[in-house]
Amino acid sequence: MREQILELLTALRSDVDFETETALIDDEVLDSFDIVTLVGDLNEAFDIEITVADLTPENFNSVDAMVELVQSMIVE
C-alpha cells in the first residue's frame, strides 16, 4: 500500500522527495489542486471515500500519515 501511495504521489509531483518529507501540507509542498487530485486518486485506487472531514494536515503531511488514513478506511 505504501508503495502504491508513493507511486500516486510521484506521478502527481515528481519534484518532491516523498520518502523524507513530513510537512507536505504545513510547508505548502502540496497545494489545494494537488490534494484534490490526490484524494480522487486514493479514492479510486483503494475503493474508499475520503471526506471533507478527513482533509486535515495530519492526514496528508506525510506518506505514512496517508497510509494510516487509507488503512483506517479499508478496515471500517
Side-chain angles (χ1 to χ4, degrees):
M1 176 183 297
R2 189 173 200 281
E3 287 303 315
Q4 195 171 356
I5 292 174
L6 273 170
E7 286 176 20
L8 292 172
L9 287 165
T10 302
L12 185 65
R13 292 283 306 274
S14 61
D15 59 319
V16 177
D17 181 3
F18 291 103
E19 288 281 3
T20 59
E21 187 63 59
T22 59
L24 293 168
I25 305 302
D26 292 340
D27 289 349
E28 299 178 1
V29 175
L30 297 178
D31 62 24
S32 57
F33 182 74
D34 293 331
I35 294 299
V36 168
T37 303
L38 178 60
V39 166
D41 291 346
L42 290 171
N43 284 344
E44 185 175 323
F46 297 102
D47 195 28
I48 58 175
E49 187 175 340
I50 297 172
T51 66
V52 173
D54 299 315
L55 298 179
T56 63
E58 295 78 24
N59 287 336
F60 289 91
N61 263 329
S62 69
V63 173
D64 290 336
M66 291 179 223
V67 169
E68 285 182 31
L69 174 66
V70 171
Q71 283 178 332
S72 73
M73 294 184 155
I74 290 173
V75 171
E76 289 178 0

